[in-house]
Amino acid sequence: MKILNIPELKFLKVALEKNPKANFNFEYLEKSNAIATLILNYNATKTLLVNQYRPGAKKNIFEIPAGLIDAGEEPIDTLFREVREETGYEKKDFEIIYASKDGFYVSPGYTTEKIFIYIIKLKSDDIIPEELKLDDGEDLYPQWFNLDEVSNVSNDMKTIFALNIYKNLS
């Protein structure tokens, strides 16, 4: 593990805020918001997870496709970009069946990050995705799973949360 000099941080900004009711400073991270997408096949019996190394878990994990919202970008545009990059599916290939309006705080005790959850469904199981367009440093591969398998292959919170949202829609 490397201890970082704060100016080396690219995605995280450490901040302090005085507690309005006590003489205490809160330490927290200013972080970009993100999107995460539960992708369903046409019959909504399977979902597409991506497998990649995650340093917080110190291993590869399966999770739903996700990504940071760029400055000035709307969450919906991030959805289209990230789904295309990580899965090869274009926006013409799917319909949105759920979109969180304001996003959900990831962990408001230490970060400003909100995640916007989307659930999308392919218009056909015959669609062949384009080649992935991964960002520098990304090394992932997508794999389909039956919906009832997801909780056995992923312990990623956003994945399980999105799956539960979908189950409550039905």
Side-chain angles (χ1 to χ4, degrees), residues 42-143:
Y42 177 73
N43 294 323
T45 57
K46 295 181 179 183
T47 189
L48 187 63
L49 302 181
V50 295
N51 183 281
Q52 62 185 319
Y53 182 81
R54 291 303 197 189
K58 298 188 180 354
K59 64 181 182 177
N60 276 56
I61 64 170
F62 281 104
E63 61 187 348
I64 57 178
L68 296 177
I69 300 171
D70 291 339
E73 188 176 41
E74 292 296 320
I76 191 75
D77 297 320
T78 307
L79 165 74
F80 298 139
R81 177 175 52 79
E82 288 293 332
V83 168
R84 173 59 187 94
E85 290 175 1
E86 295 188 2
T87 72
Y89 289 109
E90 305 276 354
K91 66 181 179 179
K92 66 178 174 50
D93 298 334
F94 58 84
E95 64 177 311
I96 299 169
I97 61 173
Y98 174 84
S100 58
K101 181 181 175 196
D102 296 318
F104 300 97
Y105 284 103
V106 172
S107 187
Y110 79 90
T111 182
T112 60
E113 180 184 16
K114 289 195 298 187
I115 193 159
F116 291 80
I117 300 290
Y118 290 91
I119 301 173
I120 64 176
K121 188 172 86 162
L122 294 181
K123 292 180 179 177
S124 168
D125 286 336
D126 296 328
I127 299 168
I128 298 171
E130 301 293 325
E131 186 175 325
L132 304 185
K133 290 183 175 180
L134 301 177
D135 292 331
D136 288 339
E138 277 188 315
D139 179 26
L140 63 84
Y141 68 89
Q143 184 175 336

